[in-house]
Amino acid sequence: MNKYIKLVIAFLMIAYSVYMFTQREYGWGIFIIFLTTIPVLLYFRNEYILLAFWQMRNQNIEKAKAWLSKIKNPERQLVRKQMGYYHYLIGITEAQDNINSSEKNMKKALDYGLSFKHDRAMAKLSLAGASMAKGRKQEAQILLREAKALDDRGMFTDQIKMMQEQMKRINVGRNLHNPNLRRRGKHF
């Protein structure tokens, strides 16, 4: 549902509750004011994103993808912070299938903004993994340092240490050759 339609519904509900107060129906007026909080809350927290988070919490990625796919036009349906979390969730769900798309969505999520430090740390950690997979060691090190700085609760210390160990093992460079390979000549 469009975010502006939610506000119009809330305004109409408030107007109807005022009408109920003028008709001396105080109970119904208070009840309708309480019901008005539903569209107002759904303006700031999209219902599909909430359901996708619920499925992610239950570790059901396929159902989370299904809920996120119901958002047809994110620019019209979501506010700015929700756009960040929309791209964040899509980046998480696509991380195993398509690293390029996951990296793009995580960058968009960081551009739009994520509210919590642990969400930003997770996004930086995911970007560091994508950079490592593409062979960009310097960028991966910078992103890991930023993720470590954002991880104030220690939720990702094991993953960060594991990625740092993997970075020590890989040998990324432009002119590094395997000494066990024989040198090839110009024509063969």
Side-chain angles (χ1 to χ4, degrees):
M1 184 184 305
N2 193 325
K3 60 185 174 183
Y4 298 116
I5 292 175
K6 294 175 188 176
L7 290 178
V8 168
I9 290 171
F11 176 74
L12 291 174
M13 289 176 78
I14 289 174
Y16 188 68
S17 70
V18 169
Y19 172 75
M20 294 305 281
F21 281 124
T22 59
Q23 296 298 316
R24 296 183 187 260
E25 295 287 340
Y26 300 115
W28 283 110
I30 292 171
F31 178 71
I32 292 172
I33 285 178
F34 283 132
L35 282 181
T36 304
T37 59
I38 294 171
V40 171
L41 288 176
L42 291 178
Y43 174 78
F44 292 107
R45 302 281 184 238
N46 187 279
E47 60 272 13
Y48 296 132
I49 291 178
L50 290 174
L51 291 169
F53 266 120
W54 178 260
Q55 293 300 327
M56 290 293 289
R57 185 174 181 200
N58 294 335
Q59 297 187 2
N60 194 346
I61 294 176
E62 293 304 317
K63 285 188 180 178
K65 277 185 185 180
W67 283 115
L68 288 172
S69 68
K70 291 185 180 189
I71 299 175
K72 301 295 182 202
N73 191 354
E75 290 82 20
R76 294 189 65 195
Q77 289 179 318
L78 307 173
V79 294
R80 185 167 176 82
K81 284 284 184 185
Q82 290 174 355
M83 288 289 292
Y85 279 100
Y86 173 74
H87 288 291
Y88 174 71
L89 285 171
I90 287 182
I92 290 174
T93 57
E94 291 181 351
Q96 294 176 349
D97 300 333
N98 189 352
I99 277 189
N100 293 331
S101 177
S102 175
E103 180 182 16
K104 181 182 77 168
N105 281 307
M106 286 296 182
K107 284 182 181 179
K108 280 185 184 179
L110 288 172
D111 288 342
Y112 279 113
L114 299 170
S115 298
F116 300 108
K117 283 185 176 181
H118 61 271
D119 292 334
R120 290 191 299 259
M122 175 66 185
K124 299 262 185 187
L125 195 62
S126 179
L127 286 173
S131 295
M132 266 180 42
K134 291 182 178 181
R136 299 187 307 239
K137 188 174 180 181
Q138 299 289 340
E139 183 180 344
Q141 287 175 338
I142 292 169
L143 288 167
L144 276 177
R145 265 189 259 121
E146 291 174 1
K148 193 173 186 177
L150 288 170
D151 187 28
D152 54 353
R153 294 184 185 172
M155 292 171 55
F156 302 113
T157 53
D158 294 337
Q159 287 91 347
I160 291 172
K161 286 179 184 176
M162 181 182 68
M163 288 182 80
Q164 287 174 339
E165 289 297 320
Q166 287 177 352
M167 285 179 62
K168 288 178 185 175
R169 280 189 245 137
I170 62 172
N171 204 7
V172 178
R174 298 245 185 250
N175 295 323
L176 297 176
H177 298 287
N178 188 346
N180 298 325
L181 293 177
R182 66 168 224 237
R183 296 186 180 262
R184 297 186 179 207
K186 184 176 180 181
H187 299 290
F188 43 86

